[in-house]
C-alpha cells in the first residue's frame, strides 16, 4: 500500500531476508548502486513489491527496473552475475512501460539452472533514487514470505503531488555533441556507446537527421548513418540522466583505442592497380606476404526456398538454442587473450544481442518462416540497410553481420562447412568473415584473395596479425579464374600471378626458404649483444605492458625493457590502483628481466585517454590538452602514488623512470625534486635514473637543457610525428602521411642526439620507427644508441645492427637530412640497403 508520502515495499518472493551488506558483491554490498536489501529466494517467480510502472526489463531478463506510484525507482536483480546467462533460464512476464499491481508476477526463472550457473541466488533489491526517499525496515533478517511487508519508503520531498510526472520531467537530460570516432558510428564505436549507456538506469536515445535510435541497438545506431564530426543529440530519461548524459557525451566525443586499429595501414600502404598485365590480377594489400599454392574457391551458404507453414513455437526454440550456442562460441573467442581478435568478436557478441535484429527474426518466425530463413532474412535486411548508407566504412561493416548469419546458419543446419581444403591453398571468396578466417587458418591455408572487402575490415586486421598474405577488392572477375592450379600470391606488391611457370614457382620457393632460414638464424643469435661492424654497441630493448610481455621479450633476446607503459594498470577499473598493486606489477616486470634494466614510464593518461574514476573536463583538442606529465602536475597525488611504488622496487639500480610529454626543464626539475622528497621520507639514499620523453618539438629544441638535468632521453616517434607534422596519427585519411622518416623528424632526432652527446647522455627511440628495419641505419647514423621494439622484432633488428658500420650510417644520415620528403628518405634507405648490406639481409 502507499500514499503520496509513504509506500510499503513487500517481499517479491519467499526466502531468507538479508541486509544489503550481506550481498556477495561489493557493488551492491557497499551501496554503490544505492540502499536496499536482499532475499535468497526459495520460489521461482519474482512478484511486484508495490504498484507502479515497469521502467524496463533487462534484455537478459535477469532484472527489472520499476517506478512506484510515489516516484521511488527500484532495481530488482535476480541472483549475482546472472547477466552472464544471457537470458537462459529466465522468462519475462511483463514488458517495458506496463502498469503493474502489487503481487503481480514479473519474472519467472529456472531456480535450479540459475543456482548452478550463477555465482549466487541472493537477489539485491535496490532503491536507485535514494536521495529522494528514506527507508525504514518493518522487520529484521530471517525467513520472509512473498507479499510480507519489508520496508516503509517515505518521500523526502516537500510537495509530493504528481511525483511520478514531475519525476519524469526532472529526470530528462539532453545534449548535443560531435562524434569524434574515425569513420563515425560504425560497429565498434556503436558497441562502445551501447556499453556505456548500459552502466546507467536511464533510457538513452541518439537523434540524428530526424531519426532516433535506442542505444540498446548496435545496428540501430549504425543505421543512423552518423559520420565522423556529425552532430548528434543525446536524450537520457531516468533518475541518473544527468550523469548518464555526461558519460555518453564523453564516449561519443572521445576517439576509442580501437580507432587506432587502422594505424598499421600507414606502414602497409594499400595499393590497387588496373588489371591490365597479362596473367596477373591486382588488388588492395590487406596483409603483405609471398606464397604460392592452388586456388580454392569458398562459397557462402545458400538456402533452398522456404516451404513456410512452420510451427512458430518450435522454430522459436530452435533459433533460441542456436543463438545460445553461438554466443558461447563467440564468448570463447573474446576470452582468447588475442587483443585484436577479442575486440572484433566482442563487437559480434553485441550485434548478436541486438533487439532490432532478434525482433525481426522472431517476427518472421511468427509469420510462418523457418528459423534458418527467418534469421537469414533478418540479417540480410540489416546488411542492405547498412550498404545503402553513404558511408564506405559502415557498408564494409555489414560483413560482420554476414559473419553472424553464417555462424548461426551453420549451427541451425547442423553441418559445419564440410569441404576438403588443400594445405597451402590460396582461398578465393567474395568476402570472408572473421570466423571464416579462423576456421581457414586451422586448415593451414597459404593466403587469401577477396573480390570485395577493404583494407580496414576485421578480416584484414586478423590476417595481418596472423601473417597471412591477403589481397582485397579484386573485383568479380576473380571468380572467372579456374580452381586447383598453382598460382603466386605476391601480397607485398598487390599481385596474384595466375600462370606462373616452373622457374617462377622455384624462385618463390627459394625466396620463402631464404626468409624462413634467415628468421631462424636471427633467432639463434638473438641473445648476444648487438655490435656494429666497427664494434659500437646498440641496445635492442623491448616495449612491454605486462609481465607476460616482459617474459616474451626475455625469450626473444631483448637487452632490457625500453618502455613499460603503466597505463594498463589504471584503465578498465573503477578506482586507481593502490601503491601495493603498482609495486607488485612493476616488480614482476623487473623479475622477468633478470640483470637487465627496465625503463618505466609514468602514467600517460589525459586528453584522449580518460579514466572513469578521474573525471576531467572535455577538451576541444584533447591531444593538445591535459595529458602526460601535465596531468601529474594537476593531480599530484596520482603521480606521488606511482613514484612511491617505483622507489620501492628492487634492485632500484635496474629501474629507470621515464617522464612523458615533457615540454620544458621546470617540469623535469619538479619531478626530480619530488623524488628526492619521497626518498628522504623513507630514508632511501639511492635514486633511480630519470629520463624524459622527446615527443613534442619543444622538447627536441630544448634537448641541450633537458640533457643537462636528465640521465637519458627517449624519443617517442609516434607522437613526435603528429605534433611536428600537425597531422593526427589516428586520422584515417592522414595516417599514411604521418611518416616518422619525414626529414623534419630526422632533423629533430639529430638535434636531440647531438645535444645529448654534448652532455654525455644516451638517446633511445621507443616509437614504432625503432621496429622498422628500413630505419635502423638512419637512426644509428643520427646518434641513437638504444632501439626499443616490439618483442617479435628483437632478433631481426639485432641482425640488422650487426651488418652495419656506424661511419656508413652517419654518411647516410647526413644525406637524408638534405632530402625534401619522407618518400625520398625511404627510397634512399632502400638504396643504402641494396648497396651496403649483405644480400641475405634484404632478400
Amino acid at each position: 500500500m502507499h500514499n503520496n508520502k509513504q509506500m510499503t515495499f513487500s517481499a517479491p518472493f519467499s526466502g531468507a531476508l538479508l541486509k544489503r551488506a550481506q550481498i556477495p558483491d561489493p557493488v551492491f554490498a557497499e551501496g554503490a548502486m544505492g540502499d536496499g536489501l536482499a532475499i535468497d529466494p526459495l520460489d521461482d517467480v519474482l512478484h511486484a513489491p508495490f504498484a507502479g510502472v515497469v521502467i524496463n526489463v533487462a534484455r537478459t531478463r535477469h532484472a527489472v527496473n520499476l517506478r512506484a506510484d510515489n516516484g521511488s525507482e527500484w532495481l530488482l536483480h535476480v541472483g549475482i552475475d546472472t547477466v552472464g546467462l544471457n537470458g537462459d533460464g529466465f522468462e519475462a512476464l511483463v514488458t517495458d512501460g506496463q502498469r503493474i499491481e502489487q503481487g503481480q508476477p514479473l519474472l519467472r526463472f529456472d531456480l535450479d539452472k540459475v543456482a548452478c550457473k550463477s555465482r549466487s541466488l541472493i537477489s539485491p533489491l535496490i532503491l536507485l533514487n535514494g536521495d529522494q526517499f528514506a527507508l525504514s525496515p518493518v522487520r529484521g533478517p530471517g525467513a520472509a514470505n512473498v507479499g510480507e511487508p519489508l520496508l516503509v519508503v517515505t518521500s523526502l520531498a516537500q510537495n509530493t503531488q504528481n511525483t511520478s510526472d514531475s519525476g519524469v520531467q526532472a529526470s530528462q537530460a539532453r545534449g548535443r555533441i560531435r562524434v569524434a570516432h574515425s569513420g563515425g558510428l560504425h560497429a565498434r564505436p556503436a558497441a562502445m556507446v551501447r556499453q556505456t549507456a548500459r552502466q546507467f538506469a536511464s533510457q538513452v536515445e541518439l537523434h540524428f537527421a530526424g531519426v532516433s535510435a535506442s542505444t540498446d541497438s548496435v545496428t540501430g545506431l549504425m543505421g543512423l548513418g552518423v559520420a565522423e564530426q556529425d552532430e548528434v543529440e543525446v536524450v537520457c530519461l531516468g533518475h541518473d540522466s544527468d550523469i548518464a548524459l555526461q558519460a555518453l557525451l564523453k564516449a561519443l566525443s572521445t576517439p576509442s583505442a580501437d580507432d587506432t586499429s587502422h594505424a598499421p595501414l600507414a606502414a602497409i600502404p594499400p595499393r590497387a592497380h588496373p588489371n591490365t598485365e597479362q596473367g596477373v590480377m591486382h588488388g588492395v594489400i590487406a596483409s603483405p606476404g609471398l606464397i604460392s599454392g592452388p586456388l580454392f574457391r569458398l562459397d557462402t551458404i545458400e538456402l533452398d526456398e522456404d516451404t513456410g507453414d512452420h510451427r512458430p513455437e518450435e522454430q522459436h526454440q530452435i533459433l533460441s538454442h542456436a543463438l545460445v550456442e553461438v554466443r558461447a562460441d563467440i564468448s570463447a573467442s573474446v576470452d582468447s587473450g588475442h587483443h585484436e581478435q577479442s575486440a572484433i568478436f566482442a563487437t559480434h557478441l553485441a550485434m548478436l544481442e541486438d533487439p532490432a535484429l532478434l525482433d525481426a527474426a522472431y517476427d518472421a518466425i511468427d509469420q510462418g518462416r523457418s528459423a534458418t530463413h527467418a534469421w537469414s532474412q533478418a540479417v540480410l535486411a540489416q546488411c542492405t540497410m547498412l550498404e545503402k548508407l553513404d558511408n564506405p566504412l559502415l557498408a564494409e561493416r555489414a560483413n560482420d553481420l554476414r559473419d553472424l548469419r553464417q555462424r548461426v546458419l551453420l549451427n541451425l543446419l547442423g553441418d559445419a562447412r564440410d569441404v576438403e581444403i588443400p594445405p597451402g591453398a590460396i582461398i578465393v571468396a567474395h568476402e570472408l568473415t572473421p570466423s571464416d578466417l579462423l576456421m581457414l587458418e586451422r586448415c593451414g591455408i597459404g593466403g587469401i584473395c577477396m573480390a570485395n572487402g577493404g583494407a580496414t575490415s576485421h578480416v584484414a586486421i586478423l590476417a595481418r596479425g596472423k601473417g597471412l598474405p591477403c589481397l582485397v577488392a579484386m573485383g568479380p572477375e576473380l571468380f572467372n579464374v579456374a580452381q586447383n592450379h598453382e598460382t603466386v600470391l605476391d601480397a607485398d606488391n598487390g599481385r596474384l600471378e595466375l600462370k606462373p611457370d616452373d622457374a617462377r614457382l622455384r624462385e618463390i620457393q627459394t625466396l620463402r626458404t631464404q626468409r624462413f632460414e634467415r628468421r631462424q638464424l636471427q633467432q639463434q643469435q638473438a641473445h648476444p649483444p648487438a655490435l656494429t661492424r666497427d664494434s659500437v654497441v646498440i641496445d635492442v630493448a623491448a616495449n612491454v605492458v605486462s609481465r607476460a610481455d616482459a617474459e616474451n621479450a626475455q625469450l626473444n633476446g631483448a637487452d632490457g625493457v625500453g618502455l613499460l607503459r603503466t597505463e594498463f594498470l589504471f584503465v578498465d577499473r573503477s578506482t586507481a590502483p593502490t601503491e601495493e598493486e603498482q609495486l607488485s606489477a612493476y616488480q614482476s616486470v623487473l623479475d622477468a628481466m633478470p640483470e637487465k634494466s627496465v625503463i618505466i614510464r609514468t602514467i600517460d593518461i589525459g586528453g584522449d585517454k580518460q579514466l572513469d574514476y578521474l573525471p576531467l573536463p572535455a577538451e576541444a583538442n584533447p591531444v593538445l590538452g591535459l595529458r602526460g606529465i601535465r596531468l601529474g602536475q594537476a593531480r599530484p597525488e596520482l603521480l606521488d602514488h606511482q613514484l612511491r611504488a617505483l622507489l620501492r622496487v628492487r634492485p632500484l639500480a635496474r629501474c629507470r623512470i621515464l617522464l612523458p610529454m615533457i615540454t620544458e626543464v621546470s617540469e623535469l626539475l619538479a619531478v626530480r625534486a619530488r623524488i628526492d622528497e619521497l626518498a628522504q621520507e623513507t630514508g632511501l639514499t639511492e635514486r633511480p635514473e630519470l629520463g624524459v620523453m622527446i615527443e613534442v618539438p619543444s622538447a627536441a629544441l630544448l634537448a641541450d637543457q633537458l640533457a643537462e638535468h636528465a640521465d637519458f632521453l627517449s624519443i617517442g616517434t609516434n607522437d613526435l610525428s603528429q605534433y611536428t607534422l600537425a597531422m593526427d596519427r589516428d586520422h584515417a585519411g592522414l595516417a599514411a602521411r604521418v611518416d616518422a622518416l619525414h626529414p623534419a623528424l630526422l632533423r629533430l632526432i639529430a638535434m636531440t642526439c647531438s645535444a645529448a652527446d654534448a652532455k654525455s647522455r644516451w638517446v633511445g627511440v621507443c616509437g614504432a620507427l625503432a621496429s622498422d628495419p628500413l630505419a635502423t641505419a638512419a637512426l644509428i647514423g643520427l646518434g641513437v644508441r638504444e632501439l626499443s621494439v616490439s618483442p617479435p622484432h628483437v632478433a631481426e633488428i639485432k641482425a640488422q645492427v650487426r651488418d652495419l658500420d656506424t661511419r656508413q650510417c652517419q654518411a647516410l644520415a647526413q644525406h637524408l637530412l638534405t632530402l625534401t620528403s619522407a618518400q625520398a628518405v625511404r627510397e634512399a634507405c632502400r638504396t643504402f640497403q641494396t648497396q651496403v648490406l649483405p644480400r641475405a639481409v634484404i632478400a
Side-chain angles (χ1 to χ4, degrees):
M1 64 180 179
H2 64 86
N3 56 37
N4 281 343
K5 286 194 173 183
Q6 287 191 339
M7 176 201 77
T8 299
F9 183 101
S10 302
F13 30 39
S14 299
L17 181 63
L18 305 171
K19 294 181 179 179
R20 189 200 72 216
Q22 294 175 282
I23 301 173
D25 186 305
V27 173
F28 292 112
E30 296 172 10
M33 294 286 292
D35 200 5
L37 67 167
I39 292 180
D40 194 351
L42 296 176
D43 44 28
D44 61 357
V45 175
L46 176 71
H47 297 82
F50 46 71
V53 176
V54 178
I55 298 176
N56 85 298
V57 179
R59 184 163 302 101
T60 47
R61 301 180 295 281
H62 70 292
V64 61
N65 281 42
L66 305 177
R67 180 184 295 112
D69 287 341
N70 75 336
S72 60
E73 296 181 358
W74 292 81
L75 169 66
L76 311 185
H77 193 289
V78 180
I80 301 297
D81 289 347
T82 44
V83 65
L85 301 183
N86 291 312
D88 187 22
F90 288 92
E91 178 187 1
L93 305 177
V94 292
T95 59
D96 294 0
Q98 181 178 335
R99 173 73 189 177
I100 55 169
E101 299 301 326
Q102 181 179 341
Q104 181 175 338
L106 304 175
L107 302 174
R108 180 178 287 112
F109 55 99
D110 186 324
L111 200 64
D112 293 335
K113 177 181 287 188
V114 175
C116 291
K117 293 188 175 182
S118 66
R119 183 150 60 93
S120 172
L121 269 177
I122 293 175
S123 300
L125 314 170
I126 304 298
L127 174 64
L128 297 174
N129 52 347
D131 58 326
Q132 302 173 35
F133 297 88
L135 301 182
S136 303
V138 173
R139 46 152 299 171
N145 295 316
V146 63
E148 180 180 347
L150 301 180
L151 297 167
V152 173
V153 184
T154 304
S155 172
L156 299 177
Q158 293 297 316
N159 182 5
T160 58
Q161 191 172 8
N162 298 324
T163 301
S164 179
D165 292 341
S166 63
V168 171
Q169 294 169 3
S171 66
Q172 186 181 87
R174 293 172 175 263
R176 304 187 72 86
I177 197 72
R178 290 193 181 277
V179 173
H181 296 276
S182 178
L185 281 188
H186 55 91
R188 290 185 184 181
M192 183 273 294
V193 168
R194 172 180 177 266
Q195 181 182 18
T196 301
R198 281 189 160 191
Q199 299 174 19
F200 304 95
S202 291
Q203 299 174 12
V204 184
E205 287 187 346
L206 259 61
H207 294 202
F208 177 68
V211 182
S212 64
S214 167
T215 54
D216 280 339
S217 174
V218 173
T219 52
L221 292 173
M222 291 193 295
L224 292 175
V226 177
E228 185 178 359
Q229 292 304 310
D230 277 345
E231 187 177 72
V232 299
E233 182 180 32
V234 183
V235 180
C236 302
L237 182 65
H239 72 90
D240 56 358
S241 59
D242 288 335
I243 60 172
L245 177 64
Q246 293 306 311
L248 267 295
L249 293 177
K250 173 182 171 183
L252 289 162
S253 62
T254 304
S256 65
D258 286 336
D259 286 340
T260 65
S261 62
H262 310 320
L265 297 178
I268 310 171
R271 279 182 267 176
H273 308 271
N275 291 323
T276 56
E277 190 175 350
Q278 187 67 32
V280 175
M281 296 187 67
H282 294 83
V284 172
I285 300 170
S287 176
L290 179 67
I291 189 71
S292 63
L295 286 185
F296 184 88
R297 188 165 65 227
L298 192 70
D299 296 316
T300 58
I301 295 175
E302 300 297 337
L303 298 175
D304 296 331
E305 186 176 351
D306 190 5
T307 58
D309 200 25
H310 299 278
R311 293 175 54 197
E313 299 84 0
E314 180 182 56
Q315 297 301 312
H316 267 274
Q317 189 172 21
I318 290 172
L319 179 56
S320 296
H321 180 73
L323 292 173
V324 167
E325 292 193 345
V326 172
R327 283 190 193 103
D329 185 42
I330 294 176
S331 296
S333 298
V334 171
D335 297 334
S336 67
H338 301 291
H339 172 73
E340 289 171 340
Q341 177 175 314
S342 296
I344 290 168
F345 287 114
T347 299
H348 287 193
L349 197 59
M351 285 181 163
L352 199 62
E353 298 172 353
D354 194 317
L357 184 62
L358 298 178
D359 289 349
Y362 286 120
D363 286 348
I365 287 176
D366 290 338
Q367 296 168 16
R369 306 283 282 177
S370 69
T372 51
H373 285 79
W375 175 253
S376 179
Q377 173 183 309
V379 173
L380 293 178
Q382 293 280 6
C383 291
T384 300
M385 179 268 292
L386 290 176
E387 288 168 339
K388 285 182 177 178
L389 297 172
D390 187 21
N391 187 321
L393 188 57
L394 286 180
E396 189 175 273
R397 289 299 179 258
N399 194 39
D400 294 313
L401 282 169
R402 290 196 185 89
D403 190 358
L404 294 179
R405 172 185 180 270
Q406 206 86 330
R407 294 182 80 136
V408 176
L409 287 181
L410 287 171
N411 186 287
L412 288 168
L413 295 171
D415 176 27
R417 194 179 284 157
D418 188 15
V419 292
E420 290 291 332
I421 299 177
I426 297 171
I427 299 299
V428 170
H430 282 284
E431 192 166 14
L432 295 176
T433 67
S435 56
D436 284 333
L437 186 137
L438 296 183
M439 179 272 289
L440 292 168
E441 184 200 18
R442 292 192 291 269
C443 295
I445 65 168
I448 300 168
C449 293
M450 293 194 291
N452 303 319
T456 64
S457 70
H458 284 157
V459 169
I461 295 170
L462 285 178
R464 287 195 294 272
K466 295 180 178 300
L468 278 174
C470 177
L471 296 183
V472 297
M474 299 186 70
E477 59 269 24
L478 180 62
F479 289 90
N480 298 329
V481 179
Q483 291 194 78
N484 300 320
H485 69 277
E486 285 291 310
T487 57
V488 169
L489 175 57
D490 179 4
D492 291 330
N493 297 293
R495 296 160 50 91
L496 175 65
E497 301 173 21
L498 303 176
K499 299 179 180 179
D501 56 23
D502 290 342
R504 176 59 170 158
L505 292 174
R506 287 194 299 270
E507 179 188 14
I508 296 300
Q509 187 58 45
T510 298
L511 289 172
R512 284 181 54 78
T513 300
Q514 289 175 349
R515 290 183 180 187
F516 175 77
E517 291 176 348
R518 185 170 71 251
R519 283 194 297 269
Q520 293 290 97
L521 183 60
Q522 289 171 349
Q523 196 58 44
Q524 291 171 12
Q525 300 297 319
H527 290 275
L531 277 72
T532 64
R533 285 188 290 167
D534 54 334
S535 300
V536 175
V537 177
I538 305 296
D539 289 327
V540 181
N543 297 333
V544 305
V545 297
S546 65
R547 180 192 179 107
D549 276 358
E551 290 172 343
N552 187 26
Q554 173 73 0
L555 289 174
N556 278 279
D559 296 324
V561 168
L563 175 64
L564 170 61
R565 299 181 176 94
T566 59
E567 293 79 46
F568 76 99
L569 275 173
F570 291 79
V571 299
D572 297 329
R573 52 187 298 155
S574 58
T575 59
T578 65
E579 183 179 323
E580 294 300 325
E581 286 179 298
Q582 292 191 56
L583 172 61
S584 176
Y586 306 148
Q587 188 66 56
S588 70
V589 173
L590 262 75
D591 293 343
M593 303 291 291
E595 309 303 321
K596 297 176 181 178
S597 66
V598 174
I599 297 177
I600 302 177
R601 185 176 69 186
T602 58
I603 182 173
D604 187 12
I605 288 293
D608 61 338
K609 294 180 285 187
Q610 299 277 348
L611 301 175
D612 292 338
Y613 54 86
L614 187 67
L616 296 171
E619 299 180 272
N621 295 297
V623 176
L624 302 178
L626 193 64
R627 58 168 295 197
I629 200 63
R630 302 169 193 164
L631 178 61
Q633 293 173 322
R635 299 295 297 268
E637 74 283 357
L638 198 68
L639 183 59
D640 274 1
H641 275 299
Q642 189 165 34
L643 293 176
R644 285 192 179 97
L646 289 169
L647 289 173
R648 293 173 60 191
V649 300
R650 295 294 181 268
L652 190 56
R654 288 204 288 117
C655 174
R656 295 169 172 168
I657 299 177
L658 182 61
L659 305 178
M661 292 298 296
I662 292 291
T663 58
E664 58 186 47
V665 177
S666 63
E667 294 166 330
L668 166 62
L669 294 178
V671 176
R672 190 177 282 285
R674 187 56 182 155
I675 289 175
D676 285 339
E677 292 172 2
L678 295 174
Q680 289 170 6
E681 287 177 7
T682 57
L684 187 67
T685 58
E686 190 178 9
R687 302 289 189 273
E689 290 189 11
L690 184 62
V692 298
M693 291 281 288
I694 305 296
E695 50 191 338
V696 296
S698 66
L701 294 169
L702 294 175
D704 57 337
Q705 297 179 17
L706 290 170
E708 186 172 346
H709 301 282
D711 297 303
F712 64 95
L713 307 179
S714 184
I715 300 174
T717 53
N718 300 347
D719 270 326
L720 186 59
S721 298
Q722 72 170 349
Y723 290 130
T724 301
L725 302 176
M727 294 181 185
D728 185 350
R729 60 190 174 102
D730 293 333
H731 191 293
L734 297 174
R737 296 180 59 190
V738 185
D739 193 331
L741 281 179
H742 191 287
L745 268 293
L746 299 185
R747 293 189 178 201
L748 291 176
I749 294 172
M751 182 183 301
T752 300
C753 291
S754 177
D757 184 62
K759 303 293 184 182
S760 300
R761 303 291 192 250
W762 60 268
V763 177
V765 171
C766 59
L769 192 64
S771 296
D772 186 351
L774 194 64
T776 304
L779 292 174
I780 292 174
L782 291 170
V784 173
R785 291 299 177 260
E786 185 211 55
L787 300 169
S788 191
V789 306
S790 58
H793 288 97
V794 170
E796 180 182 14
I797 298 300
K798 279 193 170 185
Q800 180 94 322
V801 168
R802 295 186 183 110
D803 286 309
L804 295 170
D805 184 294
T806 57
R807 290 160 296 193
Q808 292 176 318
C809 294
Q810 289 165 357
L812 169 67
Q814 291 305 309
H815 172 60
L816 298 180
L817 295 176
T818 68
L819 301 178
T820 60
S821 70
Q823 184 179 358
V825 169
R826 288 190 173 274
E827 190 56 42
C829 289
R830 292 189 188 96
T831 301
F832 175 84
Q833 285 189 333
T834 303
Q835 296 175 348
V836 175
L837 297 185
R839 182 155 185 81
V841 173
I842 62 174

